[in-house]
Amino acid sequence: MGTELLAPLDLAFWHLESDAHPMHLGALAVFAPAPGAAPERILDLLGTRAAAIPRLRMCVRDVLLPVGGKAWTVDQGFDVHRHVEHVVVGDGDFMAGAGRLAGELMERPLGRGLPPWRMYLIGGVAGGPFAVLVKLHHALADGMRAVAIGAGIFDEIAAVTRARTAARGRPAVPPRSWLPDPREMAGMALGRIGEVGRALGVGASVVRAGRLGLRSTTAFTAPSSGTRRLATADLDAGDLQRIRRAEGGTANDILLAVVAGALRRWMAGRGEPLSAADPRALVPVSRRRPGGASATGNRLSAYLLDLPVAEADARRRLRAVRTAMDRNKAAGPLRGAGAVAVLADQLPPLAHLFGAPLAANAARVLFDVLVTSVPLPRSALSLGGCPLTALYPMAPLARGQSLAVALTTYGGRVHVGLVADGKALPDLDRLAAAVEEEFTELGAVITGTDRAPVS
């Protein structure tokens, strides 16, 4: 039986979880109906394709060494039916009902004795649209890796995977011991010496960046309730590119500025005064490189960005974001307090085991909201012949965090998934509407267009 030690950052995510603070990410994929796509057939397709993805057969178990470590191992009693479920939304607006149900399902922690993932087929009226909610523990994958794993359910990806497997057969995977090879230990020790200096530098940056003062909205100081709400927004990708061509910068800069403006609108609607402290965003950065080795664990760093909510002018908000992000990129993803994930990579398993209670509360000191972009394949995707019409990514909430915003582009649209603590942000739908309104205003200011937001 093959085993694979959890990478340090994966181990950190595993230990940071509690029943009230599940550490899984997810996506809500929405499909248009097609002839012959009965729920039973779609559910069977989901199960068959998920069972064919090797990573989804892995569960976490204890190891003797290193102390405090964990290992991925194949679940010998794997039964895909424990992981795939059909749930039905009531009559009415399908997307509203699917969103409410997805929020409730995202509250539920993943069982630790099984491979840490679930898929839910969310169906409405017969012959109507349906959705698939995918949940993966953050220890299993970061955003980019989650896309690579989850894409295996789509017709196009599944067909390519079957063809490749048939062409080369299924090579035997040799067992891997959780004990390090003695010849590797000297190299590991030398590598650790070089990593200590970097870890100390990141640690000092984390301390300097800690925010103990007032937050810009009381929603960001509310205690975690463990409840989850989900809301979605849709933006035109063509308009995004027009703004980019007119103003410069990156598409991510524009979307971060939109989030800043949306928070400003939402806070004004709540009647909350703007404080001197802008909300701080954690912006994850993948350390995966195109063409590089396909590491299975999390490969993340992050930037910290003060969202210019106090700035009233949309163009100046965008320029402030561009300037701050250019500064972050010049420093690089391995420097600064946002690289706290890199610091986690330098810690031994025992430190994660005993340091998790302290680390769990660190997020609220460093940042207020997480904003992340997740890339998708550019080709059209389908499930059982039913075309994918939208995919809303969902990021996890750290302990003490009330809001996470994730964005992805597909089919000429930018799909925005907002996940919030249900008690801290009961008005999340208003924030989602503010995202669309702010995007429309920014487009009008930058390009002189005036398009109504998509409802």
Short mmCIF file of all heavy atoms in Angstrom, two decimals, residues 1-11 13-14 54-63 69-75 111-112 114-117 136-141 149 176-178 296-298:
data_model
loop_
_atom_site.label_atom_id
_atom_site.label_comp_id
_atom_site.label_asym_id
_atom_site.label_seq_id
_atom_site.Cartn_x
_atom_site.Cartn_y
_atom_site.Cartn_z
N MET A 1 0.85 -1.19 0.00
CA MET A 1 0.00 0.00 0.00
C MET A 1 0.89 1.24 0.00
O MET A 1 1.75 1.39 0.86
CB MET A 1 -0.89 0.00 1.24
CG MET A 1 -1.79 1.22 1.36
SD MET A 1 -2.91 1.09 2.77
CE MET A 1 -1.75 1.00 4.12
N GLY A 2 0.69 2.12 -0.99
CA GLY A 2 1.49 3.32 -1.06
C GLY A 2 1.04 4.37 -0.08
O GLY A 2 -0.15 4.50 0.22
N THR A 3 1.98 5.14 0.44
CA THR A 3 1.66 6.25 1.34
C THR A 3 2.45 7.47 0.92
O THR A 3 3.47 7.38 0.25
CB THR A 3 2.00 5.91 2.81
OG1 THR A 3 3.41 5.67 2.91
CG2 THR A 3 1.23 4.72 3.31
N GLU A 4 1.97 8.61 1.35
CA GLU A 4 2.61 9.88 1.00
C GLU A 4 2.40 10.84 2.17
O GLU A 4 1.26 11.12 2.55
CB GLU A 4 1.98 10.43 -0.28
CG GLU A 4 2.40 11.83 -0.64
CD GLU A 4 1.49 12.42 -1.72
OE1 GLU A 4 0.94 11.66 -2.52
OE2 GLU A 4 1.32 13.65 -1.71
N LEU A 5 3.48 11.32 2.75
CA LEU A 5 3.35 12.25 3.86
C LEU A 5 2.65 13.53 3.43
O LEU A 5 2.87 14.02 2.32
CB LEU A 5 4.74 12.60 4.42
CG LEU A 5 5.43 11.53 5.27
CD1 LEU A 5 6.85 11.98 5.60
CD2 LEU A 5 4.65 11.26 6.55
N LEU A 6 1.80 14.06 4.30
CA LEU A 6 1.21 15.36 4.04
C LEU A 6 2.31 16.41 4.05
O LEU A 6 3.16 16.43 4.96
CB LEU A 6 0.17 15.73 5.09
CG LEU A 6 -1.29 15.33 4.78
CD1 LEU A 6 -1.45 13.81 4.85
CD2 LEU A 6 -2.25 16.01 5.73
N ALA A 7 2.31 17.27 3.05
CA ALA A 7 3.24 18.39 3.03
C ALA A 7 2.93 19.32 4.21
O ALA A 7 1.81 19.32 4.73
CB ALA A 7 3.12 19.16 1.72
N PRO A 8 3.92 20.09 4.67
CA PRO A 8 3.69 20.92 5.87
C PRO A 8 2.45 21.83 5.79
O PRO A 8 1.71 21.93 6.75
CB PRO A 8 4.98 21.74 5.96
CG PRO A 8 6.02 20.88 5.34
CD PRO A 8 5.32 20.17 4.22
N LEU A 9 2.23 22.48 4.64
CA LEU A 9 1.08 23.37 4.54
C LEU A 9 -0.23 22.57 4.55
O LEU A 9 -1.22 23.01 5.15
CB LEU A 9 1.18 24.22 3.27
CG LEU A 9 0.12 25.32 3.11
CD1 LEU A 9 0.05 26.22 4.33
CD2 LEU A 9 0.40 26.15 1.85
N ASP A 10 -0.24 21.41 3.92
CA ASP A 10 -1.42 20.54 3.97
C ASP A 10 -1.70 20.13 5.42
O ASP A 10 -2.86 20.10 5.86
CB ASP A 10 -1.20 19.28 3.14
CG ASP A 10 -0.89 19.58 1.68
OD1 ASP A 10 -1.05 20.73 1.28
OD2 ASP A 10 -0.46 18.66 0.97
N LEU A 11 -0.63 19.82 6.14
CA LEU A 11 -0.78 19.43 7.55
C LEU A 11 -1.34 20.58 8.38
O LEU A 11 -2.17 20.38 9.27
CB LEU A 11 0.59 18.99 8.08
CG LEU A 11 0.63 18.27 9.43
CD1 LEU A 11 -0.17 16.97 9.37
CD2 LEU A 11 2.07 17.99 9.83
N PHE A 13 -3.39 22.95 7.31
CA PHE A 13 -4.82 23.04 7.04
C PHE A 13 -5.58 21.93 7.76
O PHE A 13 -6.70 22.14 8.24
CB PHE A 13 -5.08 22.96 5.53
CG PHE A 13 -4.70 24.20 4.77
CD1 PHE A 13 -3.98 24.11 3.59
CD2 PHE A 13 -5.05 25.45 5.24
CE1 PHE A 13 -3.62 25.25 2.88
CE2 PHE A 13 -4.69 26.60 4.54
CZ PHE A 13 -3.99 26.51 3.36
N TRP A 14 -4.98 20.76 7.85
CA TRP A 14 -5.64 19.62 8.52
C TRP A 14 -5.81 19.90 10.01
O TRP A 14 -6.87 19.64 10.58
CB TRP A 14 -4.83 18.36 8.28
CG TRP A 14 -5.50 17.09 8.71
CD1 TRP A 14 -5.23 16.35 9.83
CD2 TRP A 14 -6.55 16.41 8.02
NE1 TRP A 14 -6.05 15.25 9.88
CE2 TRP A 14 -6.87 15.26 8.78
CE3 TRP A 14 -7.25 16.66 6.84
CZ2 TRP A 14 -7.87 14.37 8.39
CZ3 TRP A 14 -8.25 15.77 6.46
CH2 TRP A 14 -8.54 14.64 7.23
N PRO A 54 -7.62 8.97 -8.99
CA PRO A 54 -6.86 8.34 -7.89
C PRO A 54 -6.80 9.19 -6.63
O PRO A 54 -6.88 8.64 -5.52
CB PRO A 54 -5.47 8.14 -8.52
CG PRO A 54 -5.71 8.05 -9.99
CD PRO A 54 -6.85 8.99 -10.25
N ARG A 55 -6.67 10.49 -6.77
CA ARG A 55 -6.52 11.34 -5.59
C ARG A 55 -7.75 11.28 -4.69
O ARG A 55 -7.65 11.47 -3.47
CB ARG A 55 -6.27 12.79 -6.03
CG ARG A 55 -5.69 13.68 -4.94
CD ARG A 55 -4.26 13.27 -4.66
NE ARG A 55 -3.70 13.99 -3.52
CZ ARG A 55 -2.61 13.63 -2.90
NH1 ARG A 55 -1.96 12.56 -3.28
NH2 ARG A 55 -2.13 14.33 -1.89
N LEU A 56 -8.90 11.02 -5.27
CA LEU A 56 -10.13 11.00 -4.48
C LEU A 56 -10.32 9.69 -3.73
O LEU A 56 -11.31 9.52 -3.01
CB LEU A 56 -11.34 11.26 -5.39
CG LEU A 56 -11.36 12.64 -6.05
CD1 LEU A 56 -12.65 12.84 -6.83
CD2 LEU A 56 -11.18 13.77 -5.02
N ARG A 57 -9.39 8.77 -3.88
CA ARG A 57 -9.42 7.52 -3.11
C ARG A 57 -8.51 7.58 -1.88
O ARG A 57 -8.39 6.60 -1.15
CB ARG A 57 -9.00 6.34 -3.98
CG ARG A 57 -10.01 5.98 -5.06
CD ARG A 57 -9.48 4.88 -5.97
NE ARG A 57 -10.51 4.36 -6.85
CZ ARG A 57 -11.28 3.30 -6.59
NH1 ARG A 57 -11.10 2.63 -5.47
NH2 ARG A 57 -12.21 2.90 -7.44
N MET A 58 -7.85 8.71 -1.67
CA MET A 58 -6.86 8.82 -0.59
C MET A 58 -7.50 9.38 0.68
O MET A 58 -8.30 10.32 0.64
CB MET A 58 -5.73 9.75 -1.03
CG MET A 58 -5.06 9.35 -2.35
SD MET A 58 -4.16 7.79 -2.23
CE MET A 58 -2.68 8.35 -1.36
N CYS A 59 -7.13 8.80 1.81
CA CYS A 59 -7.55 9.32 3.11
C CYS A 59 -6.32 9.58 3.97
O CYS A 59 -5.20 9.20 3.62
CB CYS A 59 -8.51 8.35 3.80
SG CYS A 59 -7.81 6.73 4.14
N VAL A 60 -6.52 10.25 5.08
CA VAL A 60 -5.42 10.65 5.96
C VAL A 60 -5.33 9.68 7.13
O VAL A 60 -6.35 9.34 7.75
CB VAL A 60 -5.63 12.09 6.47
CG1 VAL A 60 -4.54 12.48 7.47
CG2 VAL A 60 -5.65 13.07 5.30
N ARG A 61 -4.12 9.25 7.45
CA ARG A 61 -3.93 8.38 8.61
C ARG A 61 -2.71 8.85 9.41
O ARG A 61 -1.87 9.60 8.91
CB ARG A 61 -3.76 6.92 8.19
CG ARG A 61 -2.45 6.60 7.49
CD ARG A 61 -2.32 5.09 7.27
NE ARG A 61 -1.10 4.71 6.60
CZ ARG A 61 0.05 4.46 7.21
NH1 ARG A 61 0.16 4.61 8.52
NH2 ARG A 61 1.12 4.09 6.52
N ASP A 62 -2.64 8.40 10.66
CA ASP A 62 -1.51 8.74 11.52
C ASP A 62 -0.27 7.96 11.10
O ASP A 62 -0.36 6.88 10.51
CB ASP A 62 -1.84 8.40 12.98
CG ASP A 62 -2.97 9.25 13.53
OD1 ASP A 62 -3.11 10.41 13.09
OD2 ASP A 62 -3.72 8.74 14.38
N VAL A 63 0.89 8.52 11.43
CA VAL A 63 2.16 7.83 11.23
C VAL A 63 2.97 7.92 12.51
O VAL A 63 2.74 8.80 13.35
CB VAL A 63 2.96 8.44 10.05
CG1 VAL A 63 2.24 8.23 8.73
CG2 VAL A 63 3.23 9.92 10.28
N GLY A 69 3.11 13.99 12.37
CA GLY A 69 2.85 13.94 10.95
C GLY A 69 1.62 13.12 10.60
O GLY A 69 1.04 12.42 11.44
N LYS A 70 1.19 13.23 9.37
CA LYS A 70 0.09 12.45 8.82
C LYS A 70 0.51 11.98 7.43
O LYS A 70 1.44 12.52 6.83
CB LYS A 70 -1.19 13.29 8.70
CG LYS A 70 -1.68 13.90 10.01
CD LYS A 70 -2.43 12.89 10.84
CE LYS A 70 -3.01 13.55 12.10
NZ LYS A 70 -3.73 12.58 12.95
N ALA A 71 -0.20 11.00 6.91
CA ALA A 71 0.12 10.49 5.58
C ALA A 71 -1.16 10.23 4.80
O ALA A 71 -2.20 9.87 5.37
CB ALA A 71 0.94 9.21 5.67
N TRP A 72 -1.08 10.44 3.49
CA TRP A 72 -2.14 10.02 2.58
C TRP A 72 -1.97 8.55 2.26
O TRP A 72 -0.86 8.10 1.99
CB TRP A 72 -2.07 10.82 1.27
CG TRP A 72 -2.40 12.27 1.40
CD1 TRP A 72 -1.53 13.32 1.30
CD2 TRP A 72 -3.69 12.83 1.63
NE1 TRP A 72 -2.20 14.51 1.46
CE2 TRP A 72 -3.53 14.24 1.67
CE3 TRP A 72 -4.96 12.29 1.82
CZ2 TRP A 72 -4.59 15.11 1.88
CZ3 TRP A 72 -6.02 13.16 2.03
CH2 TRP A 72 -5.83 14.55 2.05
N THR A 73 -3.05 7.82 2.31
CA THR A 73 -2.99 6.40 1.98
C THR A 73 -4.28 6.01 1.27
O THR A 73 -5.33 6.64 1.48
CB THR A 73 -2.80 5.54 3.25
OG1 THR A 73 -2.64 4.17 2.88
CG2 THR A 73 -3.99 5.67 4.18
N VAL A 74 -4.21 5.02 0.42
CA VAL A 74 -5.40 4.59 -0.32
C VAL A 74 -6.41 3.98 0.64
O VAL A 74 -6.07 3.14 1.48
CB VAL A 74 -5.01 3.57 -1.40
CG1 VAL A 74 -6.26 3.03 -2.11
CG2 VAL A 74 -4.07 4.20 -2.42
N ASP A 75 -7.65 4.41 0.54
CA ASP A 75 -8.74 3.86 1.35
C ASP A 75 -9.12 2.49 0.77
O ASP A 75 -9.74 2.40 -0.29
CB ASP A 75 -9.93 4.81 1.31
CG ASP A 75 -11.10 4.32 2.14
OD1 ASP A 75 -10.94 3.30 2.86
OD2 ASP A 75 -12.19 4.93 2.07
N GLY A 111 -16.02 14.16 6.89
CA GLY A 111 -15.61 13.10 7.80
C GLY A 111 -14.13 12.81 7.68
O GLY A 111 -13.59 12.72 6.57
N ARG A 112 -13.44 12.63 8.80
CA ARG A 112 -11.99 12.45 8.78
C ARG A 112 -11.56 11.01 8.54
O ARG A 112 -10.41 10.76 8.22
CB ARG A 112 -11.38 12.96 10.08
CG ARG A 112 -11.50 14.48 10.20
CD ARG A 112 -10.44 15.05 11.10
NE ARG A 112 -10.21 16.46 10.76
CZ ARG A 112 -9.09 17.10 11.01
NH1 ARG A 112 -8.09 16.47 11.58
NH2 ARG A 112 -8.94 18.36 10.68
N LEU A 114 -12.66 9.11 6.17
CA LEU A 114 -12.83 8.78 4.76
C LEU A 114 -12.04 9.77 3.91
O LEU A 114 -11.59 10.81 4.41
CB LEU A 114 -14.32 8.88 4.38
CG LEU A 114 -15.27 7.93 5.12
CD1 LEU A 114 -16.71 8.29 4.77
CD2 LEU A 114 -14.99 6.48 4.75
N PRO A 115 -11.85 9.49 2.62
CA PRO A 115 -11.27 10.50 1.75
C PRO A 115 -12.05 11.82 1.88
O PRO A 115 -13.29 11.81 1.79
CB PRO A 115 -11.41 9.89 0.35
CG PRO A 115 -11.33 8.41 0.60
CD PRO A 115 -12.06 8.21 1.90
N PRO A 116 -11.36 12.94 2.12
CA PRO A 116 -12.04 14.18 2.52
C PRO A 116 -12.61 14.98 1.34
O PRO A 116 -12.11 16.04 0.98
CB PRO A 116 -10.94 14.95 3.25
CG PRO A 116 -9.68 14.51 2.58
CD PRO A 116 -9.90 13.08 2.19
N TRP A 117 -13.71 14.47 0.76
CA TRP A 117 -14.39 15.19 -0.30
C TRP A 117 -15.83 14.71 -0.38
O TRP A 117 -16.15 13.61 0.04
CB TRP A 117 -13.69 15.00 -1.65
CG TRP A 117 -13.70 13.58 -2.15
CD1 TRP A 117 -12.81 12.59 -1.84
CD2 TRP A 117 -14.68 12.98 -3.01
NE1 TRP A 117 -13.15 11.42 -2.46
CE2 TRP A 117 -14.28 11.62 -3.20
CE3 TRP A 117 -15.82 13.44 -3.67
CZ2 TRP A 117 -15.03 10.74 -3.99
CZ3 TRP A 117 -16.55 12.56 -4.46
CH2 TRP A 117 -16.15 11.23 -4.62
N LEU A 136 -13.87 19.88 -1.38
CA LEU A 136 -12.58 19.22 -1.19
C LEU A 136 -11.89 19.83 0.02
O LEU A 136 -11.86 21.06 0.16
CB LEU A 136 -11.67 19.41 -2.41
CG LEU A 136 -12.11 18.83 -3.75
CD1 LEU A 136 -11.19 19.35 -4.85
CD2 LEU A 136 -12.05 17.32 -3.71
N HIS A 137 -11.34 19.00 0.88
CA HIS A 137 -10.60 19.56 2.02
C HIS A 137 -9.37 20.30 1.49
O HIS A 137 -8.72 19.88 0.53
CB HIS A 137 -10.16 18.45 2.98
CG HIS A 137 -9.78 18.97 4.33
ND1 HIS A 137 -8.61 19.65 4.56
CD2 HIS A 137 -10.44 18.94 5.51
CE1 HIS A 137 -8.55 20.00 5.84
NE2 HIS A 137 -9.65 19.58 6.44
N HIS A 138 -9.05 21.43 2.12
CA HIS A 138 -7.91 22.24 1.66
C HIS A 138 -6.60 21.48 1.79
O HIS A 138 -5.62 21.78 1.09
CB HIS A 138 -7.85 23.55 2.46
CG HIS A 138 -7.29 24.70 1.68
ND1 HIS A 138 -6.43 24.53 0.61
CD2 HIS A 138 -7.46 26.04 1.82
CE1 HIS A 138 -6.10 25.72 0.14
NE2 HIS A 138 -6.71 26.64 0.82
N ALA A 139 -6.54 20.49 2.67
CA ALA A 139 -5.33 19.67 2.77
C ALA A 139 -5.15 18.81 1.52
O ALA A 139 -4.03 18.43 1.17
CB ALA A 139 -5.40 18.76 4.00
N LEU A 140 -6.25 18.51 0.84
CA LEU A 140 -6.20 17.68 -0.36
C LEU A 140 -5.72 18.46 -1.57
O LEU A 140 -5.04 17.92 -2.45
CB LEU A 140 -7.58 17.08 -0.63
CG LEU A 140 -7.73 16.09 -1.79
CD1 LEU A 140 -6.95 14.82 -1.48
CD2 LEU A 140 -9.19 15.77 -2.02
N ALA A 141 -6.04 19.75 -1.63
CA ALA A 141 -5.70 20.52 -2.82
C ALA A 141 -5.83 22.00 -2.56
O ALA A 141 -6.66 22.44 -1.76
CB ALA A 141 -6.63 20.12 -3.98
N ILE A 149 -8.33 18.32 -10.20
CA ILE A 149 -8.99 17.11 -9.70
C ILE A 149 -10.46 17.11 -10.10
O ILE A 149 -10.97 16.14 -10.67
CB ILE A 149 -8.85 17.02 -8.16
CG1 ILE A 149 -7.39 16.79 -7.77
CG2 ILE A 149 -9.74 15.90 -7.61
CD1 ILE A 149 -7.15 16.85 -6.27
N ARG A 176 5.41 3.69 -0.96
CA ARG A 176 6.36 4.68 -0.49
C ARG A 176 6.32 4.71 1.03
O ARG A 176 5.27 4.92 1.63
CB ARG A 176 6.00 6.07 -1.04
CG ARG A 176 6.89 7.17 -0.50
CD ARG A 176 6.50 8.51 -1.08
NE ARG A 176 7.24 9.59 -0.45
CZ ARG A 176 7.08 10.86 -0.74
NH1 ARG A 176 6.24 11.23 -1.66
NH2 ARG A 176 7.79 11.79 -0.12
N SER A 177 7.44 4.51 1.64
CA SER A 177 7.50 4.49 3.09
C SER A 177 7.39 5.90 3.64
O SER A 177 7.81 6.86 3.01
CB SER A 177 8.82 3.87 3.56
OG SER A 177 8.97 4.02 4.96
N TRP A 178 6.81 6.01 4.83
CA TRP A 178 6.77 7.32 5.47
C TRP A 178 8.07 7.61 6.21
O TRP A 178 8.25 8.67 6.76
CB TRP A 178 5.58 7.42 6.42
CG TRP A 178 5.34 6.19 7.25
CD1 TRP A 178 4.44 5.20 7.00
CD2 TRP A 178 5.99 5.81 8.47
NE1 TRP A 178 4.49 4.23 7.96
CE2 TRP A 178 5.42 4.58 8.88
CE3 TRP A 178 7.00 6.38 9.25
CZ2 TRP A 178 5.83 3.93 10.03
CZ3 TRP A 178 7.39 5.73 10.40
CH2 TRP A 178 6.81 4.52 10.77
N THR A 296 1.58 17.43 -5.52
CA THR A 296 0.22 17.11 -5.12
C THR A 296 -0.26 17.99 -3.97
O THR A 296 -1.45 18.20 -3.81
CB THR A 296 0.13 15.64 -4.69
OG1 THR A 296 1.10 15.39 -3.66
CG2 THR A 296 0.41 14.72 -5.87
N GLY A 297 0.63 18.51 -3.15
CA GLY A 297 0.23 19.30 -2.00
C GLY A 297 -0.02 20.75 -2.35
O GLY A 297 0.10 21.19 -3.49
N ASN A 298 -0.41 21.52 -1.35
CA ASN A 298 -0.64 22.94 -1.54
C ASN A 298 0.68 23.64 -1.85
O ASN A 298 1.70 23.39 -1.20
CB ASN A 298 -1.26 23.54 -0.27
CG ASN A 298 -2.74 23.29 -0.17
OD1 ASN A 298 -3.54 24.06 -0.65
ND2 ASN A 298 -3.12 22.16 0.45
#
